[in-house]
């Protein structure tokens, strides 16, 4: 989707037949750097990857029913790290004070920022907010965390 489509999409619209793929692609088109977005479609759903600042963001949509999930994550730094106890303490403190609906976690020996939400009652504005929060927090913290704790 292009920037014009992003401007014309009403993120507050209510729809019982919401097309989450269109919503996600609209949000990604407004955030991505250098047309970096890629998408994969499979029986497990859709997976997007795009570059935002110095990080990559992954957006996974498992399906379109209320029980399906929107999962977002962005790797921030690789493990092992220097002074891992201090890093873990810092991440827990950040989870409390500055991550909103997202949180720091560990996946595949990487510190990540992530958020997950089932689709029941999920609005386009919430999709946009969650993608933006994960991308922004990861981009804001990747370089400082790597500088302080990188191996």
């Amino acid at each position: 989707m292009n920037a014009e489509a992003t401007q014309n999409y009403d993120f507050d619209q209510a729809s019982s037949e919401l097309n989450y793929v269109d919503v996600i692609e609209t949000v990604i088109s407004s955030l991505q750097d250098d047309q970096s977005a890629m998408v994969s479609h499979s029986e497990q759903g859709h997976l997007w990857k795009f570059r935002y600042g110095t990080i990559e963001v992954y957006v996974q949509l498992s399906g379109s029913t209320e029980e399906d999930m929107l999962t977002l994550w962005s790797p921030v730094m690789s493990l092992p790290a220097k002074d891992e106890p201090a890093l873990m303490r810092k991440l827990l403190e950040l989870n409390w004070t500055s991550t909103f609906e997202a949180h720091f976690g560990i996946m595949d020996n990487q510190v990540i920022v992530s958020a997950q939400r089932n689709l029941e009652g999920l609005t386009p504005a919430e999709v946009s907010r969650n993608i933006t929060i994960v991308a922004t927090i990861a981009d804001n913290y990747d370089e400082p965390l790597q500088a302080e704790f990188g191996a």
Side-chain angles (χ1 to χ4, degrees):
M1 299 194 133
N2 59 31
E4 182 178 299
T6 302
Q7 293 171 346
N8 293 331
Y9 198 89
D10 180 4
F11 284 106
D12 293 319
Q13 76 183 22
S15 172
S16 60
E17 292 298 318
L18 193 57
N19 185 334
Y20 289 105
V21 171
D22 286 349
V23 172
I24 291 166
E25 288 182 351
T26 298
V27 173
I28 289 172
S29 72
S30 71
L31 293 174
Q32 71 178 326
D33 290 340
D34 301 325
Q35 301 298 313
S36 61
M38 295 186 285
V39 63
S40 170
H41 307 282
S42 70
E43 288 184 15
Q44 289 79 30
H46 304 277
L47 177 65
W48 292 265
K49 175 177 128 177
F50 68 97
R51 178 157 285 291
Y52 180 80
T54 57
I55 51 95
E56 289 184 331
V57 179
Y58 297 85
V59 178
Q60 184 176 33
L61 181 65
S62 64
S64 59
T65 70
E66 290 183 345
E67 294 82 30
D68 285 310
M69 300 296 290
L70 174 66
T71 305
L72 317 148
W73 71 96
S74 179
V76 174
M77 66 177 286
S78 295
L79 296 174
K82 295 185 290 193
D83 197 1
E84 284 195 19
L87 171 62
M88 296 307 137
R89 180 179 179 98
K90 177 141 185 122
L91 296 176
L92 284 172
E93 289 170 350
L94 290 170
N95 277 345
W96 174 248
T97 60
S98 53
T99 56
F100 305 99
E101 293 86 359
H103 57 272
F104 286 96
I106 297 174
M107 178 178 78
D108 297 329
N109 284 320
Q110 291 185 316
V111 173
I112 63 167
V113 176
S114 66
Q116 188 173 40
R117 167 87 156 70
N118 71 345
L119 300 185
E120 183 177 4
L122 184 66
T123 67
E126 290 174 299
V127 172
S128 177
R129 177 176 166 83
N130 279 297
I131 294 172
T132 303
I133 285 172
V134 168
T136 302
I137 290 171
D139 190 49
N140 287 345
Y141 285 102
D142 67 326
E143 293 172 315
L145 289 172
Q146 290 171 23
E148 186 174 353
F149 299 104

